[in-house]
Structure formats: C-alpha cells, structure tokens
Amino acid sequence: MGTQPYEHHEAGDPTAVRAALGLALLAAGGWLLNTARPWQRPGHPLLLAAGWTVSGALLVCGLVLLARCVRTVHGSPAPEGRGIRDRRP
C-alpha cells in the first residue's frame, strides 16, 4: 500500500542549503556594491569605504561557499587517489 506518515525519510542534500546561502550572499553583496557607488552620489569617505568593504566581504564569502559546494558535488570520490593524506590522528 502507500507509505506510512511515520516512516523515516532520508534528509535532503546539505550542499543545497549552503549553495543557496552562497547565492544569497552574492546577491546581497552585489546589491550593496550597487548601492554604494561613489560616482552617483558623493558621500562620506568612511561610509563609502565601509559599504565597499562589507559588500566585498559578502561577495568573497558567497563565492567561497559556492565554490566549496561545487567542489563537494563534483569532487573526486576517492581523495586518496590524488595524494591527499588524512590528517586526523
């Protein structure tokens, strides 16, 4: 018959949440960079520097998170084949 509502189902892919978070960070960083353009409206140099710094940090964090997800999904199934040693004791 049908599946019971109390049956155990496997959890979703954890890399999907991290990839979505990386894309959200990229979008937020791009939006902030777009709003902190000094050539459209002059502002205080400290506010401009803070906006550019925060937007750059968001862009870098989003890109790193997305790259790690891509490497996890498309990486080699056997890391010992590439000469990577397990560093755990």
Side-chain angles (χ1 to χ4, degrees):
M1 292 192 41
T3 61
Q4 299 295 329
Y6 53 84
E7 281 185 8
H8 176 70
H9 298 284
E10 293 183 19
D13 188 14
T15 57
V17 175
R18 291 189 303 228
L21 179 64
L23 287 174
L25 288 175
L26 282 173
W31 174 80
L32 189 60
L33 185 65
N34 194 24
T35 59
R37 294 181 287 187
W39 55 87
Q40 273 200 340
R41 56 183 157 75
H44 195 273
L46 287 177
L47 289 177
L48 291 174
W52 280 53
T53 303
V54 170
S55 66
L58 286 173
L59 287 170
V60 168
C61 289
L63 189 62
V64 166
L65 193 58
L66 205 58
R68 288 180 63 193
C69 290
V70 168
R71 188 183 323 151
T72 301
V73 171
H74 296 288
S76 170
E80 64 271 1
R82 286 196 254 159
I84 298 174
R85 287 183 258 145
D86 191 14
R87 296 182 184 204
R88 286 179 275 158

